[in-house]
Amino acid sequence: MNRQTIVFVINFFPISTGGAELQSYQIANAMKDHFNVHFITIDPKVKCITTENTNGFTVWKIPRYNISRRVLGKNQFLYYWNIKRVFSKIKPDYVYQRCAGFSTWICGILKNHFNYRFTFHMAADFDVQPVKIINFRSLISAIEKNCVRKGLKQADHIFVQNEVQKNGCETFYHRTNSQLVYNFSYPLPHPIEKTNSKIQVTWVANIKPMKKPEIFIEIAKHFANDQRIKFTMIGTPGQESIMNLINQTKQDQSNFEYLGHIPNEEVNTILEHSHLLINTSDFEGFSNVFVQAWFRGCAVASLNANPDKIITKYSTGYCANGSYEQLISFIETYLNDTQLQQTLSNNALQFANEHLSATNVLPQIIKGITGK
């Protein structure tokens, strides 16, 4: 019996190292024994469409267009012809596309031409928020949202990550049948052991404005003279002004370190030895780093993000509801309360094992993709 073919239209992990890319890779990895699995990824290193076989996948690399990126955003609409060429060659039975954008529209309008089952997976709360048009760039974003709406009309199945996205999918895109599934990971095969000799506090994200890295630096500075605590910052370098601030803090403060971009396996090792993961973003869909932390008994202390109120409902950490002062107060309390440290760690691990295990989540996702 011939195996069916699925195409993942999202950048290939680890060429791109975001949470959505990691989740998509893990879904593909679970399907490769029963399906021919392809990825379409944008690669700035190639000049024309190339293919590469790696880890049981066929990866189609298409060149990046850098035309007026600052004005036109990621220019995803320019990839229509290359995506269509790849589809023509592999004739997919299933297409899985993650992260709302022009690629959603492309996969939607090509569906009838190639007759595949189309699954869309939302990745951010921003995807269901209207755009206020204030300049040409925001006009392009508004056009992109409208294209996403047209693409989603063709989707056979839609996954969302939280209730905000589910409700927004209904009101903004008029799709009432989306399925909520949380991001997932795999339980560790060994017990989690934390040392209380020094509290490890970690921040993991790319260095960009929406992640608010400067707030983590301010938190670290507040505890600059407290040798009971160590601050570790992880993420791909970005905005020059923030990088200057990071480098200056490294020089001035002995309990602060910046590791830059490191492989996901190393991130997991650090989280396993961390007590708190700090999140300073304005919002998150369902942060994959939260999942990685909770599976390692690391509580999350979040300035704003609290998807589906999980942090407060299951006591897997603390959410400051936007208050910097409350976040500082929580960290001070946490430093002096070993019982709180143990309780939050246990709660985080229990929630992850019961609700975010790949064993439970992956079958739901594969069923949604295939309709079987």
Side-chain angles (χ1 to χ4, degrees):
M1 182 177 177
N2 292 332
R3 299 208 301 182
Q4 292 183 301
T5 297
I6 179 170
V7 182
F8 287 77
V9 183
I10 183 170
N11 285 337
F12 185 66
F13 183 90
I15 293 176
S16 183
T17 56
E21 289 81 2
L22 175 59
Q23 288 285 307
S24 299
Y25 180 93
Q26 291 180 144
I27 296 168
N29 200 50
M31 297 182 72
K32 68 182 182 182
D33 288 340
H34 303 285
F35 296 84
N36 297 318
V37 178
H38 298 251
F39 275 86
I40 297 179
T41 186
I42 299 168
D43 190 335
K45 297 178 182 178
V46 302
K47 302 297 183 183
C48 60
I49 297 176
T50 62
T51 59
E52 176 182 299
N53 294 315
T54 179
N55 297 333
F57 309 125
T58 301
V59 180
W60 296 78
K61 299 179 179 181
I62 60 178
R64 169 179 288 168
Y65 294 106
N66 292 313
I67 304 171
S68 302
R69 185 178 175 89
R70 179 174 294 181
V71 177
L72 298 180
K74 295 181 180 180
N75 305 314
Q76 288 182 342
F77 60 91
L78 297 175
Y79 300 112
Y80 170 85
W81 291 108
N82 279 339
I83 291 175
K84 186 176 182 180
R85 288 188 188 102
V86 175
F87 282 3
S88 296
K89 292 180 179 180
I90 61 181
K91 298 177 175 55
D93 299 291
Y94 307 101
V95 169
Y96 173 95
Q97 192 268 322
R98 192 161 181 147
C99 306
F102 284 114
S103 292
T104 312
W105 167 71
I106 292 170
C107 293
I109 62 175
L110 290 178
K111 174 191 165 183
N112 291 333
H113 184 81
F114 293 101
N115 194 32
Y116 50 72
R117 179 178 169 85
F118 173 36
T119 298
F120 170 74
H121 202 144
M122 197 165 287
D125 292 358
F126 173 78
D127 293 341
V128 294
Q129 296 173 354
V131 176
K132 184 178 181 180
I133 301 175
I134 57 175
N135 53 31
F136 187 73
R137 177 69 179 273
S138 60
L139 174 62
I140 294 296
S141 295
I143 293 172
E144 184 176 39
K145 285 285 178 70
N146 190 52
C147 288
V148 170
R149 183 178 290 110
K150 292 180 178 179
L152 289 186
K153 285 182 179 179
Q154 303 300 321
D156 296 287
H157 200 80
I158 298 174
F159 290 116
V160 294
Q161 297 178 315
N162 57 44
E163 289 290 347
V164 169
Q165 293 177 10
K166 187 172 181 63
N167 294 333
C169 198
E170 180 174 348
T171 58
F172 196 67
Y173 295 118
H174 311 298
R175 291 297 303 260
T176 59
N177 57 345
S178 61
Q179 180 182 356
L180 194 159
V181 291
Y182 292 145
N183 283 350
F184 64 89
S185 191
Y186 297 87
L188 271 63
H190 55 265
I192 303 296
E193 295 182 4
K194 306 282 184 183
T195 174
N196 291 327
S197 59
K198 180 168 286 194
I199 298 300
Q200 172 72 49
V201 176
T202 303
W203 185 95
V204 183
N206 291 330
I207 309 299
K208 53 186 180 182
M210 68 177 292
K211 298 297 184 180
K212 299 295 179 66
E214 68 279 5
I215 296 178
F216 181 73
I217 296 171
E218 286 303 311
I219 294 171
K221 287 182 177 180
H222 182 89
F223 295 93
N225 297 318
D226 194 331
Q227 295 305 311
R228 295 174 300 166
I229 188 169
K230 177 185 177 182
F231 293 88
T232 298
M233 197 171 196
I234 301 169
T236 303
Q239 192 176 356
E240 183 178 359
S241 60
I242 300 298
M243 295 309 303
N244 291 337
L245 184 61
I246 290 172
N247 291 329
Q248 188 61 52
T249 307
K250 281 172 59 179
Q251 293 180 21
D252 297 343
Q253 194 167 323
S254 62
N255 66 346
F256 176 89
E257 64 177 354
Y258 170 63
L259 303 182
H261 171 76
I262 60 175
N264 192 60
E265 294 79 8
E266 293 182 29
V267 173
N268 284 335
T269 298
I270 291 172
L271 289 174
E272 187 172 345
H273 295 96
S274 297
H275 299 79
L276 285 178
L277 172 73
I278 301 289
N279 182 277
T280 52
S281 300
D282 287 332
F283 54 84
E284 297 278 358
F286 197 101
S287 170
N288 199 65
V289 184
F290 285 14
V291 179
Q292 291 171 258
W294 286 332
F295 267 107
R296 288 155 183 83
C298 176
V300 172
S302 175
L303 179 62
N304 296 294
N306 188 6
D308 284 356
K309 309 298 181 185
I310 286 171
I311 294 174
T312 45
K313 182 178 179 181
Y314 294 94
S315 296
T316 61
Y318 176 80
C319 180
N321 297 312
S323 171
Y324 173 83
E325 291 76 17
Q326 288 184 26
L327 186 57
I328 291 293
S329 178
F330 165 75
I331 296 172
E332 290 173 340
T333 300
Y334 183 90
L335 272 172
N336 296 300
D337 191 336
T338 55
Q339 183 59 51
L340 177 64
Q341 295 165 19
Q342 189 62 54
T343 298
L344 293 183
S345 177
N346 291 342
N347 290 345
L349 185 58
Q350 181 178 353
F351 173 78
N353 284 328
E354 291 180 357
H355 297 276
L356 307 178
S357 173
T359 304
N360 299 325
V361 179
L362 265 174
Q364 300 178 51
I365 294 176
I366 295 173
K367 182 178 181 181
I369 291 173
T370 62
K372 300 175 182 177

